[in-house]
Amino acid sequence: MLRRSSDIAPSEITPRDLFERRREFLRDIGLAGIAAGASALVLPAFAQGPAKVFANAKKSAFSTTEPATPYKDVTTYNNFYEFGTGKEDPAERAGTLKTRPWTVMVDGECAKPKRWDIDEIVRLAAVEERIYRMRCVEGWSMVIPWNGFPLSELIRRAEPTSKAKYVEFVTLNDDRQMPGLRSGVLEWPYVEGLRIDEAMHPLAILCVGLYGELLPNQNGAPVRVVVPWKYGFKSAKSIVRIRFTEQEPRTAWNKAIPREYGFYSNVNPAVDHPRWSQARERRLGEFGKRPTLPFNGYAEQVASLYAGMDLKRYF
Ligand SMILES: Nc1nc2c(c(=O)[nH]1)N[C@H]1C(S)=C(S)[C@@H](COP(=O)(O)O)O[C@H]1N2
Ligand SMILES: [Mo]
């Protein structure tokens, strides 16, 4: 049977040691950390080219040891429909996105709504690098060194109420900056969502950089979500709002083609996409194909979130 998120106490979401580690993390970044972080973090002049903003970030224990996909592939083969549906479109066209000034509104079912300035978020992210496998629903995969921090840190600060069962992520909706919005491929803005216990999982991160640099626009600058055990489309880019809701958010791809894209979209080689198999994937930069793993190889960490759920029904 489906265990509802409302039945899960926050203390069950992460084991005790994660609470402890989170407390340490907060001590490091929240208090003494702002000063320490400031020396680790040199905000670049945004007109200039990429700078190693996150040069001092520590490798996270959650990182995969697989070799990272070349920077060139990570930044030129993208899905970002706000800039067109071709894989090369975002790299060619996302230059029109203006990422400063930028704010992210965190609101909805919470005691402490707040409009975050992007540079406050960037400062929180200076601590850690996460090398994650990413699997797109269309059948390719990459390994990307992300710079970010657990989404749970931001959620905790908002103090979600007991009605907060889900978290909704909303992308910028400005057709002067995003020419793809003039097309009707999706209902805009791009919206994604997670159950709150999924969003609180330590693997789910808020991400502002890759390869030690601020995110290139085509990868979702200035801030995106990264949820490595789900198909890529769950990881919303260029987000302006994070909203706590009681109802399951209506997500862009689910609204567009509900038969093909469910709310959960956990990577699952046993559940075919209606138009193709999900059993194998092509790692960018490699020849041939490799098998796709349940939960994209993160089953050990996340499978318990779905204990008792029929993942064929909740695809
Ligand atoms: N706002 C927005 N976010 C988005 C998308 C999009 O079209 N718009 N595409 C998604 C899909 S389908 C994938 S596979 C990933 C790709 O991320 P990457 O280009 O950084 O690899 O972004 C996701 N986030
Ligand atoms: Mo995707």
Side-chain angles (χ1 to χ4, degrees):
M1 211 192 73
L2 170 59
R3 194 174 177 217
R4 296 164 46 110
S5 56
S6 51
D7 302 329
I8 303 171
S11 56
E12 287 179 76
I13 290 171
T14 51
R16 178 172 199 93
D17 61 325
L18 283 169
F19 269 104
E20 297 303 332
R21 217 187 305 159
R22 180 178 302 159
R23 202 169 293 142
E24 270 178 44
F25 176 77
L26 285 173
R27 196 193 51 221
D28 290 351
I29 60 164
L31 307 163
I34 295 297
S39 64
L41 171 67
V42 183
L43 287 176
F46 291 102
Q48 293 167 9
K52 286 274 175 203
V53 183
F54 305 109
N56 297 331
K58 284 193 238 98
K59 275 208 174 54
S60 157
F62 289 113
S63 289
T64 171
T65 55
E66 290 171 81
T69 303
Y71 180 87
K72 185 110 185 21
D73 292 325
V74 171
T75 57
T76 56
Y77 194 85
N78 302 101
N79 265 342
F80 200 168
Y81 277 24
E82 285 85 339
F83 297 100
T85 55
K87 304 300 171 225
E88 281 94 38
D89 290 345
E92 282 167 17
R93 299 165 70 189
T96 50
L97 179 67
K98 220 177 134 256
T99 59
R100 295 292 186 292
W102 189 284
T103 62
V104 179
M105 188 67 205
V106 179
D107 66 352
E109 289 293 345
C110 64
K112 298 234 168 89
K114 172 176 155 129
R115 185 176 291 280
W116 286 74
D117 183 80
I118 186 61
D119 290 319
E120 288 178 272
I121 296 177
V122 171
R123 251 170 252 130
L124 289 180
V127 182
E128 235 190 9
E129 178 185 81
R130 300 280 186 102
I131 307 174
Y132 278 169
R133 284 181 295 277
M134 304 296 293
R135 170 63 155 80
C136 177
V137 76
E138 288 161 84
W140 81 79
S141 65
M142 302 195 207
V143 174
I144 305 180
W146 298 111
N147 297 98
F149 64 101
L151 185 54
S152 64
E153 300 302 339
L154 189 110
I155 294 176
R156 196 192 47 75
R157 286 164 193 233
E159 298 180 13
T161 69
S162 58
K163 282 191 185 161
K165 308 282 163 54
Y166 297 91
V167 189
E168 179 187 77
F169 305 96
V170 185
T171 294
L172 181 71
N173 188 11
D174 178 355
D175 68 1
R176 288 163 306 172
Q177 298 184 56
M178 298 174 143
L181 296 181
R182 291 179 208 128
S183 87
V185 270
L186 289 173
E187 210 180 287
W188 311 108
Y190 193 95
V191 172
E192 258 308 333
L194 297 169
R195 226 169 49 192
I196 194 156
D197 58 331
E198 298 179 313
M200 290 294 290
H201 191 281
L203 279 173
I205 60 172
L206 209 53
C207 172
V208 294
L210 60 80
Y211 268 102
E213 300 167 358
L214 290 173
L215 281 176
N217 289 355
Q218 59 268 33
N219 293 91
V223 59
R224 67 175 299 171
V225 185
V226 174
V227 194
W229 69 95
K230 292 176 180 274
Y231 290 118
F233 68 90
K234 297 296 289 181
S235 297
K237 294 176 166 180
S238 305
I239 56 184
V240 293
R241 190 173 186 196
I242 297 175
R243 195 165 70 95
F244 300 101
T245 66
E246 190 167 15
Q247 307 299 326
E248 186 178 284
R250 305 255 5 249
T251 60
W253 279 106
N254 182 250
K255 274 197 277 189
I257 323 179
R259 223 172 63 79
E260 299 187 0
Y261 307 108
F263 176 77
Y264 283 92
S265 294
N266 291 314
V267 173
N268 192 342
V271 175
D272 289 342
H273 184 280
R275 290 182 280 138
W276 58 81
S277 162
Q278 293 290 30
R280 288 149 73 73
E281 67 197 50
R282 186 174 72 86
R283 179 70 48 90
L284 288 197
E286 290 182 358
F287 296 101
K289 291 199 171 182
R290 47 168 78 218
T292 286
L293 301 172
F295 299 106
N296 200 27
Y298 296 99
E300 201 185 308
Q301 291 94 333
V302 302
S304 63
L305 290 172
Y306 311 101
M309 276 176 74
D310 177 355
L311 296 178
K312 292 211 156 100
R313 172 149 184 236
Y314 297 99
F315 65 94

